[in-house]
């Protein structure tokens, strides 16, 4: 009997810590005047979302990578013919990142990326290049249609892109959309090391 009581107490404590964690991550994104930059709670009576996964991430969800947690503030949805992938803008307070999620050979692949101001842009790209001491090989290039949601950090529309991969899971993405140009550099992250939590501000009560 004492064992059952102890297990019950531990389970309750674990559930409580998850709720506190989610609220803490959301609170870190509050603006100076205290107004949270996250979506409001669901409409009373609205059916709650299923637990989020990498493939169903939405504005307000929390991504945990080791000791770092990030809140999804916006998303760019890309589509090129039958191929589709997502680039989520992440806010970790002092750290801003992107999380790319795409299917590759039937497997979901995740990659953390950051702005790379020193990367070559279109006009200086070839089949391969050396960037930050890594030999990068062209994996794909083309034109995709992007749709922006939330604070995606760039507008949608037609995007010309080039994608390079390198040793150790290195990844370089160069994009051009109208007069907007940017490069993102980072690495592929093992999906088994990531944890996803629903943003408590976008959950139905």
């Amino acid at each position: 009997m004492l064992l059952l009581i102890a297990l019950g107490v531990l389970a309750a404590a674990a559930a409580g810590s998850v709720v506190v964690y989610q609220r803490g991550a959301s609170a870190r994104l509050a603006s100076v005047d205290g107004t949270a930059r996250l979506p409001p709670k669901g409409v009373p009576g609205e059916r709650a979302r299923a637990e989020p996964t990498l493939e169903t991430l939405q504005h307000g969800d929390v991504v945990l990578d080791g000791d770092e947690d990030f809140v999804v503030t916006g998303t760019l949805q890309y589509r090129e013919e039958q191929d589709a992938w997502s680039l989520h803008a992440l806010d970790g307070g002092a750290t801003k990142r992107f999380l790319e999620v795409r299917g590759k050979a039937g497997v979901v692949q995740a990659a953390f990326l950051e702005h790379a101001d020193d990367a070559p842009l279109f006009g200086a790209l070839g089949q391969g290049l050396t960037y930050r001491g890594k030999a990068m090989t062209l994996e794909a290039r083309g034109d995709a249609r992007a749709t922006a949601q939330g604070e995606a950090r760039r507008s949608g529309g037609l995007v010309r892109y080039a994608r390079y991969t390198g040793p150790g899971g290195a990844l370089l993405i160069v994009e051009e959309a109208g007069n907007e140009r940017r490069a993102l550099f980072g690495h592929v992250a093992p999906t088994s090391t990531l944890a996803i939590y629903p943003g408590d501000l976008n959950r139905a009560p």
Side-chain angles (χ1 to χ4, degrees):
M1 178 63 72
L2 291 176
L3 179 59
L4 292 176
I5 293 175
L7 290 175
V9 170
L10 287 174
S17 65
V18 169
V19 171
V20 170
Y21 164 75
Q22 293 171 346
R23 290 177 178 171
S26 298
R28 282 191 288 278
L29 294 184
S31 61
V32 176
D33 62 0
T35 304
R37 295 184 287 105
L38 292 173
K41 285 188 175 182
V43 178
E46 182 181 34
R47 180 178 297 179
R49 263 178 68 209
E51 291 301 309
T53 66
L54 280 172
E55 296 175 280
T56 63
L57 277 175
Q58 291 185 14
H59 188 187
D61 288 339
V62 178
V63 178
L64 179 65
D65 177 32
D67 295 330
E68 297 182 286
D69 55 74
F70 301 90
V71 173
V72 178
T73 59
T75 299
L76 277 170
Q77 298 281 358
Y78 295 82
R79 179 169 293 278
E80 182 183 28
E81 297 180 352
Q82 301 303 312
D83 194 14
W85 64 97
S86 301
L87 185 67
H88 303 285
L90 304 181
D91 192 332
T95 305
K96 304 291 192 297
R97 288 184 181 172
F98 294 90
L99 176 65
E100 184 195 60
V101 179
R102 63 186 299 144
K104 187 174 183 180
V107 178
V108 177
Q109 177 180 284
F112 284 107
L113 302 161
E114 297 182 3
H115 279 290
D117 295 333
D118 58 340
L121 298 179
F122 282 95
L125 296 176
Q127 294 298 114
L129 54 89
T130 299
Y131 178 65
R132 296 187 182 180
K134 296 181 182 292
M136 309 294 293
T137 303
L138 180 68
E139 180 184 75
R141 74 158 46 110
D143 299 302
R145 178 67 62 178
T147 303
Q149 301 172 354
E151 298 177 22
R153 300 180 197 157
R154 82 168 305 160
S155 57
L158 187 63
V159 178
R160 182 185 179 199
Y161 74 91
R163 179 184 179 87
Y164 292 84
T165 56
L171 177 62
L172 173 66
I173 300 174
V174 180
E175 295 184 340
E176 183 177 68
N179 293 324
E180 293 183 90
R181 296 178 175 86
R182 73 175 178 185
L184 304 174
F185 180 73
H187 64 278
V188 173
T191 57
S192 59
T193 66
L194 304 180
I196 310 297
Y197 295 99
D200 65 304
L201 293 185
N202 68 358
R203 304 290 285 179

